Amino acid sequence: MGIPASVTPSDSDSHRSDTSDSPTTIEIINAVASIATALGFIMVIIQFWYTRKKDKDDQVRIEEERNNNLLDSQSEQKRMREQFELQLAQSHTQQFEHSLFSLLNLFNQVVLQLKFKDKTDMYGDDNPVEEYGRGVFDEAARRIKRMCELRIMDDPDDSDNPYTHPVKSIAEARYQMAERYHDNYYIYFEEILNHYFRSLYHIFKYIDKSELIKDDRKPYYASIVRSQLSQNELLAIMFNLIIYDYGYPQFLRLDKKYRILENFRHDAPFLKHYYDLYIAIKADTESEDGEDGISLKGYRSLYLDF
């Protein structure tokens, strides 16, 4: 019978040693797995945070682009609106100027067609007079000057002579102007100049009432019309402005607004006399209460019955 192999102590110890090492390896593997799981979870968190941040950044970027596009659109709309308004204003200005210059052209034709004939000259002599165009106003001015000179020479020291002494009242100034208008214009030039005054009045009225241009531009266009008028025309206009049912009150209102007589030279003695009357009457009407600052009360009765 054989002898059983004896187990040596060293073999037993070796087996026990291998058995005791196995749990440590598993623990290491478990620890590594836990760490890997934790890292994976952290990566998931990081990925989630990154995705959320990217979404927010994208949202902010989209919002900024939308705002920028909106601002660009608003700027473009504003630019287009301003361009349209500019083009509209230019169109209105062109339309206004076309109408104004058409009126001025018709007015100049009226002036060219003026014709005055008289069998006697301003001295009463049988010396026929014939004038055309603006020469009609020159003849009217010569007659006014001659009449003034005669009256000044007749009684230069007379205290009641209005040519050498101021008038005593506005009523007297109005009466004098009406009387002189009757003597110097109505008798000789009424039918000739009626169309002239109406045409000129409607030019200034067109400027005043037009909605095609701004109010601050109207004086400029009025100055263009003023530049067309000669000194002797301005003399005739001065009379017409303050005669009731002629230039008064509508034309005088436009004169006060657009200074139609601004370029009138009134230094000559006979001109100064009438200009002073005009200024006094104009200042008086400016201080009265009524339509357009003009009172018509008792005005008609001051004048001759033409």
Side-chain angles (χ1 to χ4, degrees), residues 6-51:
S6 63
V7 178
T8 63
S10 60
D11 291 338
S12 176
D13 291 342
S14 176
H15 177 75
R16 285 196 298 268
S17 176
D18 292 339
T19 303
S20 64
D21 288 343
S22 296
T24 302
T25 302
I26 293 173
E27 288 176 358
I28 292 173
I29 293 173
N30 289 337
V32 171
S34 298
I35 293 172
T37 301
L39 289 175
F41 181 72
I42 292 173
M43 290 299 295
V44 169
I45 293 175
I46 293 174
Q47 181 67 30
F48 176 77
W49 175 82
Y50 175 78
T51 303

Side-chain angles (χ1 to χ4, degrees), residues 83-279:
Q83 184 177 4
F84 172 76
E85 291 175 352
L86 177 61
Q87 291 175 346
L88 184 62
Q90 291 175 342
S91 175
H92 286 169
T93 300
Q94 291 173 356
Q95 182 181 346
F96 170 81
E97 290 182 348
H98 175 76
S99 298
L100 176 63
F101 293 132
S102 294
L103 289 173
L104 277 174
N105 183 52
L106 291 174
F107 173 72
N108 287 326
Q109 291 181 26
V110 169
V111 173
L112 291 175
Q113 293 171 4
L114 293 176
K115 182 179 180 180
F116 173 77
K117 284 186 177 184
D118 195 2
K119 295 179 180 179
T120 60
D121 59 19
M122 61 183 177
Y123 299 101
D125 299 332
D126 292 332
N127 186 15
V129 177
E130 189 169 328
E131 292 286 355
Y132 297 90
R134 284 188 165 84
V136 172
F137 294 99
D138 298 339
E139 177 63 21
R142 284 192 291 268
R143 291 178 179 242
I144 293 176
K145 182 178 180 181
R146 176 61 177 171
M147 180 180 293
C148 293
E149 290 173 343
L150 290 174
R151 297 196 178 194
I152 291 173
M153 289 186 296
D154 284 345
D155 48 2
D157 299 323
D158 186 353
S159 60
D160 292 328
N161 186 345
Y163 295 90
T164 56
H165 297 275
V167 294
K168 299 179 177 63
S169 66
I170 295 298
E172 183 181 349
R174 286 171 165 170
Y175 183 86
Q176 272 200 39
M177 288 296 278
E179 188 177 36
R180 296 292 86 78
Y181 186 83
H182 179 266
D183 294 345
N184 299 314
Y185 284 100
Y186 183 81
I187 295 176
Y188 300 102
F189 302 96
E190 172 72 9
E191 293 183 1
I192 302 171
L193 297 181
N194 260 345
H195 189 32
Y196 169 91
F197 288 127
R198 284 197 301 270
S199 298
L200 183 61
Y201 165 72
H202 282 292
I203 291 176
F204 281 102
K205 184 179 179 181
Y206 172 72
I207 294 174
D208 186 55
K209 297 297 183 182
S210 178
E211 296 180 355
L212 296 173
I213 57 171
K214 295 181 179 179
D215 289 343
D216 59 1
R217 292 289 294 163
K218 292 180 179 181
Y220 165 74
Y221 290 103
S223 68
I224 293 178
V225 180
R226 288 201 310 263
S227 68
Q228 309 293 308
L229 307 174
S230 69
Q231 289 297 308
N232 290 331
E233 285 177 86
L234 293 175
L235 174 61
I237 293 168
M238 181 183 70
F239 275 92
N240 183 267
L241 286 173
I242 53 181
I243 303 301
Y244 186 80
D245 277 344
Y246 287 82
Y248 187 98
Q250 289 87 355
F251 206 177
L252 180 60
R253 179 185 67 82
L254 295 174
D255 170 48
K256 289 158 60 175
K257 192 170 185 178
Y258 297 109
R259 301 175 299 177
I260 297 174
L261 297 186
E262 181 178 19
N263 300 324
F264 183 48
R265 297 192 297 270
H266 48 83
D267 297 334
F270 84 100
L271 291 179
K272 185 178 185 306
H273 169 71
Y274 289 119
Y275 188 77
D276 289 344
L277 296 181
Y278 154 76
I279 290 297

